[in-house]
Structures are given as C-alpha cells and as structure tokens.
Amino acid sequence: MAPTPDWVKKLKPSGPQGHELLAAERAKSNLNTRRLAHFLHGKENLQRRDRILETLQSEKVFDKSPNYYAGRNERFKLSLARAKRLRQLAWKHGWSTEEFTAANELLSESTPYRLHDSMFLVTLRDQGTPEQHELFLRKAENYEIIGCYAQTELGHGSNVRGLETTAVWNAGDRTFTLNSPHLTASKWWIGTMGRTANYAVVMAQLIIEGKGYGPHPFVLQIRDLKTHEPLEDIFVGDLGPKFGFNTMDNGYLLMNNVKIPHANMLAKFSSVDLKTNTYHRPASPSLIYGTLTYVRSHIVSEAGMVLARGVTIAIRYCAVRRQFQDRDAPDWQKGEEQVLNYKMVQIRLLTLLAATYALHFTGKSMMSQYEQSQSQAQMPAADAAGARDADKNRGAGPEETHSGSDLLADLHATSCGLKALGSTIAAEGLEVARRACGGHGYSSFAAIGPFYADYLPTTTWEGDNFMLTQQVARYLLKSARSVLAGEEPSNSTTQMLAHFWHRQDMGAAFDILGSDSDIVAAFAWRAASLTFDALKRRDELKKGWNDLLVDFQRLSKAHSQYLIVSNFHQTLQSPSTQSSLGQTGLDVLTRLFRLWALHTLEQEASEFYSSSAVTVRQIQLARSNAVMALLGEIRPHAVALVDSWDFPDWQLDSSLGRWDGRVYEDLFHRASELNPLNGITVDPYPGSGVLVRRDESEEVGRSKL
C-alpha cells in the first residue's frame, strides 16, 4: 500500500481544535476530578491500575490496534494468547485477585478464560466441600484444569427448574449418570466451553430411585487433559458466530450416559448419603442458587461502569463536534454550536451521566449485601432453622421458601430486580450514547458499537430481564402478605410496605421539588402502592399469573428504581461522602441525584400520579422547570464528571473518546494507515474473472499493526 503523502499528514481539522475545546470545557468546572475519582474507585485502586496498565502496554500481545480489523478466528486466537499471558503475568508478579481483575478490565475483552475465572471458580468455592476444594478447586486455581459453568440449555434458559439434563444416582456402584435425553437438553451458550474448557460444572436434575430433587451442580471432565480431545460419550464444540462477544468460545455439550463418582456432586449444601442412598436437603434451598446471585450482584455492580464508558466517549465527542447554529444566539456568537450545548442532546446524555453514578452507588451496596449474605450462610443449620418454611415436596426458589424478613430472600429478589433494571439501563444507554455521536458513532473506531454488542447478552443471560421481574414480584407479594398478617417488619422492604399500608388512607404530601428525602419517599410510596394493587388482583380478584405479568414487570421496575434512588441518596447523606468530596463535589452529585430521580419520575408519571405520590402540577413543574434547570446546572461539569471515571485512553480504545480531543486526526489515522483492506487492489469490472489484482493486506497488518 502506498504511504500516506506528506500533504495529507499536514492537514488539520478546521475551526477550534479538539484539544482546545476539551481544555476549555475542563476550565469551566471547579470540580476536583482527582478527588471524585478517588472517591469512586479508591486512590490505592487507581494507583494499582496504573501500574498494571504500564505492564500491559509494554507487552506486544496486548497491542489493541488489530482488534477492529480481525475476523472471528483471529480474534479468538489472539484473545486466548492474551488470556494466557495475563495468567503468566499474574504468576510472575504475584498479582492478587483484585490486580488480576483490574488487568482484565483494562484489556476490556471477554477472553476464553472468563467463565473459568468467574463462575467455575466461584461455584467450586461456594458450593464445594473442603474435600472437593482439594479435589477440584486447587487444580482450577492453578489452571491445571480449565472449567466453565454449564446451566443454560438449548430448550431452557431462565427456567432452571425446567432443565432436561439428568443426573441419576446409582446405588450399586455409588455413581451418578449424567445424560442429555433430548436434543433440547444440550447445554448451550456456555462460555469457555466451546474450545477451551476441559471441565464443567453441569447443572442437572438429580434423580434418586425415580424421584426428582431439582437441579444440582455436578463436576464433569469433558476433554482429555493431555490431548484436549473430547472424552467418550461427550459431544462438545463452539456454537458459532454471534452478534458480539466473539472473543469468547460459547459452546454446546451433549452427554450420553456418562458416569461420574459420588464426589463429583458439589455437596456443601446438599448431598446423597452413601450409606442410606437418601437425599440431604440443603440447609437453605436458596443456597443452591448462590452462584447466580453472586453473578447477578456483580452485573449490578458493573452496570454503572459499563454505561460510563459509552457516556464518556459520547460527551467528550459531543463537546468537540460542532454542528449548525443556535437560532437565538447573538450576532457576535454566531458560528457552529457544540453539539453538547443542544438541549435535545443534554436530555439524552446528561441523564445517562446521572445514571452512571446512580448505578455505581447501587452496585456497591449490592455487593456489600451479597458479602453479608455469605456470612449468614455460614451459620449452623440449627441457628437458621427457625427462619425457613420450605415445602419439602418441591424445589422452590428462595423468594417462595423464605419469609419476607430473610436476608437471602431479600438479596435474591433485589439482585433479580436490579440486574434486570441495571443491565437494561446500561445496554439501552449505550445505544443512546452511540446515536448521540451521529454518523461517526456507527464506526467501530467510536468503540461504543462493539462494546454494546459485547455487553448486550447481559440483558438475557443469568436470567432474562423480563422473566426475572416475576421473581421480584413474587417476593414483594409474599412480603405484603406478611404485612397484612400483622407480622413485625424486619427489613427495609417490609418496613416500606407497612408504612404505606398504615398511611394509605391519610394520603401522601411529598415535596419532590424541595426535598431530596421526599423524592425517595415518593418512589417508595409508588412501589408500595403497586405492590398492594398487584396483591389485590392476585388474591382478591383471583387474576391468573400470566394475566398479571405486565403488572409484575412494572412493579419490579418501580421497586428497583426506588432502590437506586434510595442508595444514591444514602450515599450522599453519608458523612464519609461529604468529607471525601467536599462541598463542590457534593453539590454536583446532588444535582445528578435530582436529575436522575426527577427525569425518571416524569417518565413514569402515570404511576406516581395514580398512587397519589405526586400531583399533576408537580409532574408538570418537574418536567418543564426542574429537569431543564438541572441540565443547565450540570452542563459546565459534564466533561469533568466523565473525566472522573478516569478511563485510560488505552482502555477505551476510541477515536471519539480520546482524552485530548484529537477525534478527527485519530479517525483518519485508523482508516488510512491501519486498515488492512486498503492493502487490497481489486479488479472492479464485472466482465473480468479477476477479483484481486494485488493483495498487500497481510503486509499492512504486519507493518502497521
């Protein structure tokens, strides 16, 4: 390919330069971005990240320049090479779990080890006995075996109880027989399974003497540890190209009556007695869902950061991009306007910016609750027995088997609702951010589109977002029944419901335009009102479950929005927050809180009004006055607020989101000098049998990438 001429290299963008525009934006704000970044991430964490970033940038295998040009096979092989090198560096430098996680976040791709590092290790650790830790976990931690978590099937995803894979107990030789009785029993979408894993934790229906006991986890070797070929009666492979996520080898698995030892059933919470061949029920049936609760909690935790990436790119670009003129601008100010100054852009991007912070603080609370639940799970069975009322004849989910006061049930329902809402906000928000970038947002070099494609399955894996809302509704209905039965409220959910039930005839008078605590109270009132409305339809009017699914989705969304608003508000009220941020930082985040809450309130106006949480006039003022005023107050801090997320350019890998604002220079460089397709000279004429006259694309790849 001919080199870029000097006259092309000398060209510069017209008008104010990108770096000048972003410098001016940063000068507008008095927000201390380093202070806010330290509050969000922790000073030590950022210092650790910077050390790791320096290490990764020095390694040739982590050069990101081929990413947007390579096909799927090349991306997979490169990602596997990166995964191996990451593990080698972790051993070499003695990285902690937090350091290894930071390295993966900087790399920002789902390597073929992702499911091994997450769900496989977590499941072995949390659901295995000490003996099983020695048998499986230690080898997995040392990467002597590489594993995955095989739950979803070709015919069943969210409905775990409907899984078709069976695990039949054989009393004679004390083994289990794992089998895929139908094509739809094939394990499907299993990350790391396609080409990488040699072990799997397989969720299968436990059957003892013809009786089913529900899905349980079993450890299964699927490939030879030396040849890496599938074992006998195992049919396994990669399931093919996807919308995104193509560095990961999602796979399928079929088993033909494969026997495994008794020790391969993870038995921390449930087991089959070797002497009596009887099933020992878990101390708490909800613990069998521990891995999914962890993963959902983690999804909530990462949702804010995911959205923040896209919003960072979009806001920086919209501060550099100039289009059209403000019709009402004075003559001396005529000229193309920064796109970020248009209210139609602000209502999309600044509300998403507020959402990044709201989700971040909610995620931190979610992970704290998960850790608390794990501590409770270690309680002796005798101490916890009084809190359970499980039906011994069915493997019910935790929201059905526990009272409203049980922490595990509350955590499970919270994780379901917030996973559904948080990942939906993040996924839909990434697309809004991409579209706010106009035509250039469609380029892979913008980095939002590829990241969106990789993140999108989060809305359907680990529980489809619409299906999960049923579990939230079921838990809320159960909690409401406990309130009606006169039980003493013992957690925030039942307290909220009890407060509403005893005050509903008195009505509400929430000053949402003048009091932040009243905003939270209005969200709680609306959620409680929807809960008792749904309970009335279910219990008094005897409406069918299917007929109420739309109501349940709205209920789950309302409850989860209340949790987000509540967590955001609690964070701002914390003395540690105030001392960490200072008055300026606290004031700016308070405006973000109000913007997200009031914008959400006006979007859900009918429910707030019908529940009597607010008046029509308050809704009108929120929409026309408060939200618009907040956009104007936050606008000068927009770039500073995304800077505070402190994403390195290397991590974003975006032309549009560069910290220095050199947007157009980077776009042109990637297109003209790094693009292997420009190394191909074609024969364009339809009458010619020649397709390519000269192919220097591989040379471009070697020399430029």
Side-chain angles (χ1 to χ4, degrees), residues 5 37 117 133 162 212 319 342-343 362 389 398 488-489 506 566 570 602 617 639 689:
D117 294 330
H133 288 173
Y342 290 106
K343 290 295 182 182
T362 299
D389 60 349
E488 185 70 22
M506 299 170 60
S566 178
Q570 287 176 16
E602 62 147 315
R617 183 57 178 160
V639 170

Coordinates of all heavy atoms in Angstrom, one line a residue, residues 5 37 117 133 162 212 319 342-343 362 389 398 488-489 506 566 570 602 617 639 689:
P5 N 0.7 10.4 1.8 CA 1.5 11.6 1.3 C 1.7 12.6 2.4 O 0.9 12.8 3.3 CB 0.7 12.2 0.2 CG -0.2 11.1 -0.2 CD -0.5 10.3 1.0
A37 N -12.5 11.0 41.5 CA -12.1 9.7 41.0 C -11.6 8.8 42.2 O -11.9 7.6 42.2 CB -10.9 9.8 40.0
D117 N -12.5 -18.1 35.3 CA -12.1 -17.2 36.3 C -13.2 -16.7 37.2 O -13.0 -16.3 38.3 CB -11.4 -15.9 35.7 CG -10.1 -16.3 35.0 OD1 -9.4 -17.2 35.5 OD2 -9.7 -15.6 34.1
H133 N -12.8 -29.1 47.5 CA -11.8 -28.0 47.2 C -10.4 -28.6 46.9 O -9.8 -28.1 45.9 CB -11.7 -27.1 48.4 CG -12.9 -26.2 48.6 ND1 -13.0 -25.4 49.7 CD2 -14.0 -26.0 47.8 CE1 -14.2 -24.7 49.6 NE2 -14.8 -25.1 48.5
G162 N -36.8 -26.2 34.7 CA -37.2 -27.0 33.6 C -36.0 -27.7 32.8 O -36.2 -28.3 31.8
G212 N -37.4 -37.0 41.5 CA -36.6 -35.9 41.2 C -36.4 -34.9 42.4 O -37.4 -34.7 43.1
A319 N -18.7 17.4 22.9 CA -18.1 18.7 23.3 C -17.1 19.1 22.2 O -16.8 20.3 22.1 CB -17.3 18.5 24.6
Y342 N -26.8 21.6 22.8 CA -28.2 21.4 22.4 C -29.0 20.6 23.5 O -28.5 19.6 24.0 CB -28.4 20.7 21.1 CG -27.9 21.5 19.9 CD1 -26.7 21.3 19.3 CD2 -28.6 22.6 19.5 CE1 -26.2 22.0 18.2 CE2 -28.2 23.4 18.4 CZ -27.0 23.1 17.8 OH -26.6 23.9 16.7
K343 N -30.1 21.2 23.9 CA -30.9 20.5 25.0 C -31.3 19.1 24.6 O -31.4 18.2 25.5 CB -32.2 21.4 25.3 CG -31.9 22.7 26.0 CD -31.3 22.5 27.4 CE -31.0 23.8 28.1 NZ -30.4 23.6 29.4
T362 N -25.4 2.1 43.7 CA -26.3 0.9 43.9 C -25.5 -0.4 43.9 O -25.7 -1.3 44.6 CB -27.5 0.9 42.9 OG1 -28.2 2.1 43.1 CG2 -28.4 -0.3 43.2
D389 N -39.4 -22.1 56.0 CA -40.7 -22.8 55.9 C -40.8 -23.5 54.5 O -41.9 -23.4 53.9 CB -41.9 -21.8 56.1 CG -41.9 -20.7 55.1 OD1 -40.9 -20.6 54.3 OD2 -42.8 -20.0 55.0
P398 N -35.9 -19.2 46.3 CA -35.8 -18.6 47.6 C -36.9 -17.6 47.9 O -37.3 -17.4 49.0 CB -34.4 -17.9 47.5 CG -34.1 -17.8 46.1 CD -34.7 -19.0 45.4
E488 N -44.3 -8.5 62.3 CA -43.5 -7.3 62.6 C -42.5 -7.1 61.4 O -41.7 -8.0 61.1 CB -42.7 -7.5 63.9 CG -41.9 -6.3 64.3 CD -42.7 -5.2 64.8 OE1 -43.9 -5.4 65.2 OE2 -42.2 -4.0 64.8
P489 N -42.5 -5.9 60.8 CA -41.5 -5.7 59.7 C -40.1 -5.8 60.2 O -39.8 -5.3 61.3 CB -41.8 -4.2 59.3 CG -43.2 -4.0 59.8 CD -43.4 -4.8 61.0
M506 N -54.5 8.2 54.7 CA -54.2 9.6 55.0 C -53.6 10.3 53.8 O -53.6 11.6 53.7 CB -53.1 9.6 56.1 CG -53.6 9.0 57.4 SD -52.3 8.8 58.6 CE -51.8 10.5 58.9
S566 N -32.9 5.4 46.5 CA -32.6 5.3 47.9 C -31.1 5.1 48.1 O -30.5 5.8 49.0 CB -33.3 4.1 48.5 OG -33.0 4.0 49.9
Q570 N -28.7 7.8 50.1 CA -28.0 7.3 51.2 C -26.5 7.6 51.1 O -25.8 8.0 52.1 CB -28.2 5.9 51.5 CG -29.6 5.5 52.0 CD -29.8 4.0 52.2 OE1 -28.9 3.3 52.2 NE2 -31.1 3.6 52.3
E602 N -40.7 11.7 35.9 CA -41.6 12.2 34.8 C -41.8 11.2 33.7 O -42.9 11.2 33.1 CB -41.1 13.5 34.2 CG -39.7 13.4 33.5 CD -39.6 14.4 32.3 OE1 -40.6 14.4 31.6 OE2 -38.6 15.0 32.2
R617 N -49.6 18.9 38.9 CA -48.8 20.1 38.9 C -47.3 19.9 39.2 O -46.4 20.5 38.5 CB -49.4 21.2 39.8 CG -48.7 22.5 39.8 CD -48.7 23.1 38.4 NE -48.1 24.4 38.4 CZ -47.7 25.0 37.3 NH1 -47.8 24.4 36.1 NH2 -47.2 26.2 37.3
V639 N -17.9 17.4 31.1 CA -16.6 16.7 30.8 C -15.9 16.3 32.1 O -15.3 15.3 32.1 CB -15.8 17.6 29.9 CG1 -14.4 17.1 29.7 CG2 -16.5 17.8 28.5
G689 N -12.7 -12.0 -14.8 CA -12.7 -13.1 -13.8 C -11.8 -12.9 -12.7 O -11.7 -13.7 -11.7

